[in-house]
Amino acid sequence: MATAGKVIKCRAAVAWEPTAPLKIEEIEVAPPQEGEIRIKVVATGVCHTDLYHLFEGKDKRGFPSVLGHEGAGVVESVGPGVTDFKPGDKVIPLFLSQCGECKFCKSPKTNLCDRNWSSKYHDIMSDPTTRLTCRGRPILQFMGTSTFSEYTVINQIAVGKIADDAPLDRVCLLSCGISTGYGAAVNTAGVTPGSVCAVFGLGAVGLAAVMGCKNAGASRIFAVDINEQKFEKAKVFGATDFLNPKAYNKPISEVLAEMTNGGVDFSLECVGNTEVMRTALESCVKGWGVSVLVGWTDVKDFSARPIQLISGKTWKGSLFGGFKSKDSVPNLVCDYMSGKIKLDEFITHKMSLEQVNDAVNLMKTGQCIRCILNISK
């Protein structure tokens, strides 16, 4: 392409500081270096983790940055040493890398990667190395991706090549939220046929967890949320029972125990709230109940009574649904295109990059499941 090897000037939504509105700026995107790929971003979802960094994490060292990590696009150019990608390939940027060489990548027990940005910089949620600049200042690439930009540069170990006919404005959701919730159920929890499950929080991640429980053969799926307007949407993904914790004068864990003869087999916390994490654990049946932490937070400690675990329950965490990213995302795209998993049903709004602050507000106030930003044609 004519832009290969040159600095590209393009639009991006820059977060200059915590809690402030994002600002549409002209940024410079440097050419890809050794092992890197420059991607034209076509579409991106707005995920709660973007909001977490902007409003909850509040670590000023993580700014200025370009947020966004749930995108899909087309390869514009590749740097030296890149052989598996070429200009024109459809791809999904991945916030979780898979180098294929470290001890974690070589182990079937985990999807972590020692070369991921989070290995050293989880507190600021960005690697200090960046290919983005604005007004003469380096702009951090949030979670190694930065999809609220028309172009971005990413290491090839954090990019998945997908089918040429994949609709980018839908499969972009597989780069975070949907894969995270779905995989937490089918991989991390290991939901079994005929089991009883409870999903706490019915945002996109929680609804994807409901879908995972359904596809794994659960016989009963409790959808738990204080916003009852989300119950109809949960029904679409397979939920069978619906509970609003505020509607009871006792802990919802006790309500679930009474309704299930002692508790559910599997529970998934998809909020990122430490109190809800404890409730989800306490909602599991003793002896074999499994509770999975899925919601992202790193600002508070969590606790539980030891008897909860001594009695035979298991408490687990899940990152990106346990999927090894580069291997799994292309397969998930195929699963969507064959009808095995849903994506369209998560999308409630579509907006332009210039409307990013409206999209952030919709997510912040719980008025949308997923908003897709059309970044470029």
Side-chain angles (χ1 to χ4, degrees):
M1 290 187 176
T3 51
K6 301 177 182 178
V7 172
I8 290 178
K9 292 184 177 181
C10 68
R11 297 173 307 143
V14 178
W16 287 103
E17 58 184 347
T19 72
L22 307 184
K23 189 171 182 180
I24 303 299
E25 302 272 14
E26 181 181 78
I27 69 168
E28 296 81 37
V29 183
Q33 302 301 304
E34 181 77 26
E36 295 179 342
I37 300 169
R38 188 158 60 184
I39 298 167
K40 180 178 183 179
V41 181
V42 173
T44 185
V46 180
C47 175
H48 184 268
T49 308
D50 300 311
L51 276 65
Y52 167 84
H53 185 66
L54 189 61
F55 296 111
E56 299 173 38
K58 297 182 180 178
D59 191 327
K60 290 187 177 181
R61 295 174 301 159
F63 297 85
S65 68
V66 171
L67 302 179
H69 61 286
E70 206 171 67
V74 179
V75 175
E76 175 269 341
S77 60
V78 301
V82 176
T83 57
D84 293 339
F85 298 87
K86 66 183 184 303
D89 284 345
K90 284 189 174 182
V91 292
I92 289 182
L94 303 165
F95 75 86
L96 181 62
S97 60
Q98 184 185 349
C99 73
E101 300 173 353
C102 70
K103 65 178 181 180
F104 298 111
C105 284
K106 290 181 177 179
S107 171
K109 298 178 180 179
T110 182
N111 64 341
L112 299 183
C113 174
D114 218 15
R115 291 176 62 188
N116 201 55
W117 59 269
S118 59
S119 296
K120 296 180 180 179
Y121 306 107
H122 68 90
D123 51 348
I124 62 172
M125 302 188 76
S126 301
D127 189 315
T129 302
T130 177
R131 303 295 174 222
L132 311 183
T133 56
C134 182
R135 303 184 194 175
R137 296 179 61 184
I139 305 296
L140 295 175
Q141 293 188 228
F142 179 63
M143 297 179 76
T145 56
S146 288
T147 56
F148 290 178
S149 172
E150 291 180 304
Y151 288 87
T152 189
V153 177
I154 304 176
N155 193 300
Q156 63 180 338
I157 66 173
V159 180
K161 183 178 178 181
I162 60 174
D164 289 337
D165 56 346
L168 299 179
D169 61 348
R170 277 159 277 175
V171 298
C172 61
L173 297 180
L174 291 170
S175 60
C176 182
I178 311 311
S179 301
T180 295
Y182 183 75
V186 300
N187 296 329
T188 313
V191 171
T192 54
S195 60
V196 178
C197 303
V199 175
F200 291 77
L202 301 177
V205 174
L207 292 173
V210 170
M211 179 172 67
C213 293
K214 171 71 173 178
N215 283 10
S219 63
R220 197 173 182 188
I221 304 168
F222 288 88
V224 184
D225 201 295
I226 60 175
N227 184 353
E228 295 187 9
Q229 293 181 349
K230 294 183 177 180
F231 290 165
E232 280 301 313
K233 181 66 78 169
K235 190 180 296 184
V236 171
F237 293 100
T240 59
D241 298 79
F242 310 90
L243 299 176
N244 178 355
K246 291 188 173 181
Y248 299 89
N249 57 7
K250 64 176 72 174
I252 201 68
S253 57
E254 294 182 15
V255 175
L256 280 164
E258 292 171 0
M259 298 178 71
T260 59
N261 190 28
V264 300
D265 300 302
F266 302 95
S267 69
L268 298 106
E269 190 280 342
C270 302
V271 182
N273 181 296
T274 54
E275 294 180 4
V276 179
M277 292 173 184
R278 178 170 181 163
T279 297
L281 175 67
E282 293 173 346
S283 299
C284 285
V285 66
K286 63 183 180 182
W288 61 78
V290 175
S291 187
V292 181
L293 279 61
V294 190
W296 176 274
T297 186
D298 193 34
V299 293
K300 291 184 179 180
D301 295 334
F302 64 95
S303 63
R305 292 291 179 90
I307 189 63
Q308 292 289 324
L309 303 181
I310 293 171
S311 67
K313 299 181 185 182
T314 301
W315 217 357
K316 307 174 74 173
S318 183
L319 180 67
F320 197 56
F323 286 114
K324 285 188 179 289
S325 58
K326 284 177 67 73
D327 290 344
S328 300
V329 166
N331 293 331
L332 288 168
V333 169
C334 293
D335 286 343
Y336 161 68
M337 297 179 72
S338 68
K340 182 179 178 181
I341 61 175
K342 302 178 187 292
L343 289 181
D344 302 45
E345 292 80 358
F346 289 93
I347 301 169
T348 53
H349 298 77
K350 290 189 175 183
M351 295 183 175
S352 66
L353 178 60
E354 285 76 12
Q355 296 172 293
V356 63
N357 288 307
D358 295 330
V360 167
N361 189 58
L362 284 172
M363 174 68 72
K364 189 177 180 181
T365 55
Q367 297 178 64
C368 75
I369 301 301
R370 267 299 183 269
C371 177
I372 300 297
L373 297 179
N374 295 310
I375 304 298
S376 55
K377 295 180 181 179

